[in-house]
Amino acid sequence: MPACSKKGSVIFSGFRALGLYSNHLSHVVRYHKKHREFYVVTAVGNCFHTYNVIHTYTGHGADVHLLLPFGDHIISVDRDNVVIVWDVESEEEYLQITFDKVSFEVSAVMHPSTYLNKILFGSCQGGLQLWNVKSNKLLYTFPGWASGVTVLQQTPAVDVVGVGLSSGQIVIHNIKFDESMMKFQQDWGPVTSLSFRTDGHPVMAAGSPVGHIGLWDLEEKKLVCQMREAHNTAIAGLTFLHSEPLLITNGADNAIRVWIFDTAGGGGRLLRSRLGHSAPPSQVRHHGLNGQHILSAGQDGTLQSFSTVHEKFNRSLGHGSINKKKSKKKSLRYEQLKLPAITTFASESARQDDWDSIVACHRGFLMTTTWNYQKGSMGAHKLEPERFNKNRALNVHATAVDITSCGNFVVVGISSGHIDVYNMQSGMHRGQYGEDRAHEGAVRGVSVDGLNQLTISAGADNLVKMWKFKSRQLVHSVDLASPPATTHLHRDSGMLAIALDDFTLNVLDTETRRIVRRFSGHRGQVNDMTFSPDGRWLITASMDCTIRTWDLPSGCLVDCFLVDSAAVSLTMSPTGNFLASSHVDNLGIYLWSNNTLCCMVSLRPLPADYEPTVIMLPGTCPSQVEEGEDEDLNSEMIEYESPEQLDEELVTLSLLPDSRWKNLLHLDIIKKRNKPKEPPKVPKAAPFFMPTIPGLIPQFAPPEGSNQEEQSKVVNFGVLAQKSNFYRELESATLSNKFDGPVGMLKEMGPSAIDAELRGLAPDMGGDVFVLKGFLKMVASMLDSKRDFDLAQAYLALFLKLHLRLISQEPELMGEASRVSQELEKTWTSMQTLFNQSLCLLSYSKSALL
């Protein structure tokens, strides 16, 4: 079973999520004494973010809905009514408390100031409980109110807390004497959050489910100011920073905002924010060539840019407006000034420093808008053809758009079948394709090649048409088996991917103008497609919740995995390191890392009945590979072992380095060049005690072995004539006619050893003519098998250099040498034919492309 059946995908692994900042849960603020900075903690799904410091705590069995920093600990409450106290640094569980949901369902939690180790819990039943978390004891139970507690907040006064109720009532309560001091009533529904200013102003801020914030004066006991539409959804959390006129808010609209109170009237103005989409993204595309920025169009009508490097580089290009000047005056609060959500867009960074670089189509609108990436705002032009006289009742809208690679022109496809060309700098209309219209049905896709030579369009009339970009004349058309749903062009390779309404995929080569690949396997509508940077892979996403990778050269499906929510858009980084996806009912953009860039991945065609496994979407923190995963992947991977010879008709070279055989003919030159100028001088070793001859006159004894008569000057050729291992192996191989043994021994030798072995085959060195003939047979067998062709040439050349005169004198050796020559000529003729065929094909390919 392949590794992908266990992993879900062998190519992609979840990395992290972008654009997720907050949900419907309140944030908490913690002050770090050493760093002298405030840290904001927000919850996202089963984990939470700590801005400036990141920790991950694992242990809850359900979603976390309450958080409270508590000294060196943090307290979290999940939907199963389980309270866990964590140690911040070690990320270990310190204490766990479980409440009965029937009698006391925890809905709020706080730490009363100066109450050591004490935690106050509020319930949906309206009661309060005070606990000592160190001794794990219940200290006091407050009867509370008839309405459920939604918020508990410490006031600047000791023993006094603010209590927000689901009825909209706000109670300032003294927990020491269990007495209520004052009450306020909010008309916007339940109180979602409370906070008190500590910079000298007796002001309380209260959040509401409709996104409004009410500011109450505690001395005069009245409402002093309203901050309407602070968020698009309910206010999840409010926090005044200690001794500062700053208010931090977060909501379910996936936004964190900081407000400053420095103006008259008591209201706050927006100082800074960190926000993502408040509705799921509909399309994502990489912008630029470095792969560090992702443009995202959301169903909330905004266009945003997310950085894969750091969140501080994120930017929001804002919400589209029909009249930019009026929307600035009225703060875009009137629905009639807002443009609907973007359905599709295109971007090009070539001329983004000079003019607008993004063009977008809006749901149900004929007009397309331009956007300026550098300024981070809506652009200067609204592109709309004059043929319809701005008649909104015609129900005609823009469906497809593309920008040329030079950034100068925009091509827009319309549901009426028209395709128009505009100038990006001036916004002027430059013409249309076709005499009346380009297609009889709605335009489903439009693309321009990298050299501005061809415009390729696909329409609901089952046709793909190719037009000359400049003259706008029809060049070629291709019939499709089913209406196209969407198209995507890889400009570098000229491959156009076409998704059809019958859930199949076609790949059109714009160079040959033919369908070169057809893929089937999706069981739902294909939402989006993207190519790998080299054009080898086509990655598709469908409503069947699968993300599939098709290998174009082999025409096979090589990777497939399921996600729990269908992907609506895909984009591959220009550098190939990340795949970004957006999904149904998800606010984030999810990054998948390309495993082939960092490890060996075995890709094999998947069978037609392959059942993919589900992969969870990556979290907001980089995923940590579990120990043993890489080992499992490597153990499942099948390593390919190349055979010694791919085919008997092919000439195979050896895998030995060139130094082992290239210098065989030049050993004498190398030895002469490396010969020392003079031999090394070795000092004579003198003994420690000089031996003497006994006698009256002292005489030194001569050294041992100095007796000239005992030494012999006759060389013993019998010792030199001993047969080497190679000689004996060659003898036996000549008799058996199997030469794998001696060839293997020569492969293990160096150039000097090979030279010595070949010299030892001569009769004057103790060899024999029979062994010389055997060596020629060995070379002939190497040429006949077409293996180790380079070694056969080198060994034969050295053999002829050493024994050519002897071969010419022995008829038996001459006959064998003649047969080797014929075999060599036959092999070279075959190789020359293959070379000529390859050169001819290469020359034709060059001339044909030109």
Side-chain angles (χ1 to χ4, degrees):
M1 183 177 290
C4 56
S5 62
K6 292 184 178 181
K7 298 288 180 179
S9 174
V10 294
I11 298 179
F12 300 108
S13 59
F15 179 64
R16 60 171 301 194
L18 303 177
L20 291 178
Y21 299 105
S22 173
N23 60 9
H24 61 284
L25 305 179
S26 174
H27 69 272
V28 291
V29 178
R30 183 187 183 195
Y31 182 74
H32 198 290
K33 293 183 179 179
K34 183 178 180 180
H35 296 166
R36 296 183 179 180
E37 289 182 344
F38 289 97
Y39 295 101
V40 181
V41 183
T42 58
V44 179
N46 290 328
C47 60
F48 46 87
H49 292 177
T50 305
Y51 285 88
N52 291 343
V53 177
I54 295 178
H55 289 283
T56 303
Y57 305 90
T58 305
H60 279 289
D63 287 347
V64 176
H65 71 105
L66 292 175
L67 289 174
L68 177 68
F70 185 57
D72 293 332
H73 299 79
I74 190 168
I75 300 174
S76 58
V77 184
D78 62 21
R79 294 295 182 185
D80 290 339
N81 220 28
V82 176
V83 179
I84 299 181
V85 182
W86 306 88
D87 185 276
V88 173
E89 295 299 328
S90 65
E91 301 180 0
E92 295 179 353
E93 181 180 314
Y94 174 78
L95 175 67
Q96 183 174 132
I97 306 174
T98 303
F99 292 89
D100 183 12
K101 275 191 174 184
V102 177
S103 60
F104 195 89
E105 182 178 354
V106 179
S107 59
V109 59
M110 68 159 289
H111 165 58
S113 180
T114 71
Y115 283 60
L116 186 64
N117 300 325
K118 310 299 189 302
I119 297 296
L120 183 64
F121 294 99
S123 67
C124 295
Q125 290 77 11
L128 304 178
Q129 290 185 5
L130 184 66
W131 282 73
N132 187 318
V133 294
K134 185 174 183 180
S135 61
N136 194 15
K137 292 182 179 180
L138 174 62
L139 302 179
Y140 187 79
T141 300
F142 299 86
W145 302 266
S147 181
V149 178
T150 57
V151 182
L152 291 174
Q153 182 62 42
Q154 176 70 51
T155 68
V158 180
D159 302 326
V160 181
V161 298
V163 183
L165 304 178
S166 59
S167 62
Q169 193 177 41
I170 304 171
V171 181
I172 307 300
H173 193 78
N174 189 310
I175 59 175
K176 184 175 182 180
F177 300 102
D178 193 9
E179 295 180 355
S180 297
M181 302 174 61
M182 61 183 74
K183 295 181 180 180
F184 303 93
Q185 183 63 42
Q186 180 175 266
D187 297 332
W188 299 322
V191 180
T192 59
S193 53
L194 291 173
S195 186
F196 298 86
R197 290 186 67 172
T198 57
D199 59 341
H201 298 270
V203 175
M204 175 184 67
S208 67
V210 294
H212 305 328
I213 299 175
L215 300 176
W216 303 81
D217 192 315
L218 298 180
E219 289 184 351
E220 300 182 3
K221 299 181 181 180
K222 67 176 183 179
L223 181 67
V224 294
C225 185
Q226 297 180 7
M227 297 172 58
R228 290 184 172 270
E229 297 182 352
H231 285 268
N232 297 329
T233 58
I235 304 295
L238 292 171
T239 303
F240 278 106
L241 294 187
H242 184 69
S243 300
E244 294 187 23
L246 297 177
L247 175 65
I248 300 176
T249 65
N250 77 293
D253 57 352
N254 196 20
I256 305 172
R257 291 183 169 93
V258 180
W259 310 83
I260 185 170
F261 294 83
D262 58 353
T263 58
R269 65 177 179 87
L270 184 63
L271 179 63
R272 64 177 66 94
S273 63
R274 189 67 61 83
L275 68 157
H277 286 294
S278 59
S282 56
Q283 188 177 36
V284 293
R285 291 290 183 267
H286 275 90
H287 180 73
L289 301 178
N290 56 9
Q292 296 179 358
H293 302 282
I294 299 176
L295 285 173
S296 173
Q299 297 178 16
D300 55 0
T302 62
L303 182 64
Q304 301 194 32
S305 173
F306 296 97
S307 173
T308 60
V309 178
H310 197 277
E311 293 176 345
K312 66 181 180 181
F313 300 116
N314 294 357
R315 58 167 64 181
S316 175
L317 281 71
H319 197 295
S321 62
I322 297 176
N323 192 311
K324 194 174 181 180
K325 293 183 179 179
K326 286 185 179 180
S327 64
K328 283 185 177 180
K329 293 180 181 179
K330 299 184 179 182
S331 301
L332 202 61
R333 292 184 179 179
Y334 296 91
E335 294 297 329
Q336 61 267 25
L337 295 179
K338 291 183 178 180
L339 281 172
I342 295 174
T343 56
T344 183
F345 68 90
S347 68
E348 179 56 53
S349 60
R351 302 298 295 271
Q352 67 178 7
D353 295 333
D354 302 322
W355 49 72
D356 299 344
S357 57
I358 305 170
V359 62
C361 301
H362 297 265
R363 183 182 297 117
F365 260 64
L366 174 63
M367 175 181 62
T368 56
T369 57
T370 62
W371 301 72
N372 195 298
Y373 185 81
Q374 293 294 93
K375 296 179 180 179
S377 64
M378 194 171 175
H381 307 299
K382 294 178 177 62
L383 311 178
E384 184 175 357
E386 298 180 355
R387 70 174 69 91
F388 300 107
N389 297 322
K390 298 185 178 180
N391 187 355
R392 308 301 182 192
L394 294 177
N395 195 22
V396 178
H397 58 276
T399 56
V401 69
D402 195 20
I403 301 178
T404 58
S405 59
C406 61
N408 293 319
F409 298 98
V410 178
V411 182
V412 181
I414 307 175
S415 60
S416 61
H418 295 87
I419 299 177
D420 298 285
V421 183
Y422 299 89
N423 183 276
M424 194 65 167
Q425 181 181 8
S426 63
M428 296 179 63
H429 187 268
R430 293 302 186 188
Q432 69 176 33
Y433 290 92
E435 296 181 359
D436 180 26
R437 62 184 66 185
H439 290 272
E440 295 300 324
V443 178
R444 300 288 179 83
V446 62
S447 304
V448 183
D449 69 349
L451 299 176
N452 291 2
Q453 298 296 315
L454 287 177
T455 300
I456 306 102
S457 63
D461 53 359
N462 295 25
L463 291 177
V464 174
K465 295 185 177 181
M466 299 182 185
W467 314 78
K468 287 186 177 180
F469 176 78
K470 188 174 182 180
S471 63
R472 294 184 285 279
Q473 295 179 355
L474 181 62
V475 177
H476 187 72
S477 63
V478 178
D479 292 326
L480 300 175
S482 179
T486 182
T487 63
H488 184 75
L489 176 67
H490 186 259
R491 284 176 171 169
D492 292 343
S493 64
M495 294 294 174
L496 179 72
I498 309 168
L500 305 182
D501 285 344
D502 60 358
F503 312 151
T504 61
L505 302 166
N506 288 351
V507 179
L508 174 68
D509 188 352
T510 59
E511 188 71 30
T512 62
R513 302 173 185 176
R514 297 176 58 186
I515 301 292
V516 294
R517 290 290 184 272
R518 288 184 172 88
F519 301 117
S520 61
H522 279 297
R523 300 174 184 175
Q525 174 188 339
V526 178
N527 293 328
D528 203 3
M529 303 174 292
T530 184
F531 283 96
S532 60
D534 57 0
R536 183 181 182 90
W537 296 338
L538 173 63
I539 307 164
T540 58
S542 170
M543 288 303 295
D544 59 5
C545 295
T546 61
I547 297 178
R548 299 173 182 256
T549 303
W550 312 85
D551 186 71
L552 294 185
S554 63
C556 298
L557 175 68
V558 294
D559 189 60
C560 178
F561 64 96
L562 278 168
V563 288
D564 53 359
S565 179
V568 296
S569 186
L570 293 174
T571 177
M572 191 74 175
S573 169
T575 56
N577 52 355
F578 290 116
L579 173 71
S581 63
S582 62
H583 299 260
V584 175
D585 297 333
N586 283 272
L587 302 181
I589 299 173
Y590 299 91
L591 296 182
W592 308 83
S593 58
N594 186 357
N595 298 329
T596 61
L597 298 181
C598 54
C599 62
M600 183 66 183
V601 176
S602 177
L603 294 180
R604 285 162 288 170
L606 299 180
D609 58 348
Y610 176 75
E611 292 295 334
T613 54
V614 178
I615 294 182
M616 300 302 295
L617 295 178
T620 55
C621 300
S623 61
Q624 298 178 354
V625 180
E626 296 182 2
E627 187 176 356
E629 282 191 4
D630 291 338
E631 297 177 1
D632 294 340
L633 182 61
N634 294 331
S635 62
E636 295 288 345
M637 187 183 302
I638 299 177
E639 295 184 1
Y640 175 76
E641 296 182 1
S642 177
E644 294 184 1
Q645 191 172 20
L646 298 178
D647 191 87
E648 295 180 356
E649 299 297 326
L650 298 178
V651 173
T652 305
L653 303 180
S654 69
L655 298 179
L656 296 181
D658 295 348
S659 60
R660 300 283 291 275
W661 56 270
K662 255 189 176 181
N663 298 324
L664 287 176
L665 294 178
H666 310 291
L667 280 178
D668 50 351
I669 300 176
I670 295 174
K671 289 181 179 179
K672 184 177 181 181
R673 182 183 61 191
N674 296 338
K675 184 179 180 181
K677 297 181 180 179
E678 57 182 10
K681 297 179 180 179
V682 181
K684 296 181 180 179
F688 186 77
F689 294 102
M690 299 296 292
T692 58
I693 300 176
L696 296 176
I697 300 174
Q699 291 183 355
F700 292 102
E704 298 180 0
S706 59
N707 191 355
Q708 300 296 329
E709 295 179 357
E710 295 180 359
Q711 291 183 357
S712 175
K713 296 183 179 180
V714 179
V715 178
N716 187 357
F717 282 101
V719 177
L720 298 177
Q722 291 181 352
K723 296 179 180 180
S724 64
N725 294 334
F726 171 74
Y727 189 96
R728 291 193 295 269
E729 188 70 25
L730 183 59
E731 271 186 327
S732 60
T734 305
L735 296 174
S736 62
N737 206 26
K738 296 180 180 179
F739 297 96
D740 293 338
V743 172
M745 296 183 67
L746 287 178
K747 287 183 178 180
E748 299 294 331
M749 299 180 185
S752 299
I754 295 175
D755 181 79
E757 291 290 350
L758 265 62
R759 290 179 184 273
L761 300 180
D764 55 352
M765 297 297 293
D768 190 84
V769 175
F770 174 76
V771 180
L772 291 173
K773 183 179 178 181
F775 187 87
L776 290 175
K777 287 184 177 181
M778 182 192 74
V779 174
S781 69
M782 295 173 67
L783 295 175
D784 182 60
S785 64
K786 297 184 179 180
R787 296 183 182 181
D788 302 322
F789 191 75
D790 48 351
L791 297 183
Q793 301 288 330
Y795 297 160
L796 180 61
L798 179 61
F799 182 81
L800 294 177
K801 178 182 178 181
L802 298 176
H803 308 295
L804 184 60
R805 178 172 297 180
L806 179 61
I807 292 174
S808 62
Q809 297 174 356
E810 296 289 340
E812 189 176 357
L813 294 179
M814 280 295 296
E816 190 63 35
S818 178
R819 285 189 289 272
V820 173
S821 177
Q822 293 176 2
E823 187 67 30
L824 184 61
E825 185 177 358
K826 175 184 175 182
T827 306
W828 271 113
T829 302
S830 176
M831 290 185 62
Q832 190 65 40
T833 303
L834 295 176
F835 285 147
N836 291 337
Q837 291 177 356
S838 301
L839 292 174
C840 181
L841 181 60
L842 185 61
S843 300
Y844 172 76
S845 301
K846 288 183 177 180
S847 60
L849 291 176
L850 294 176

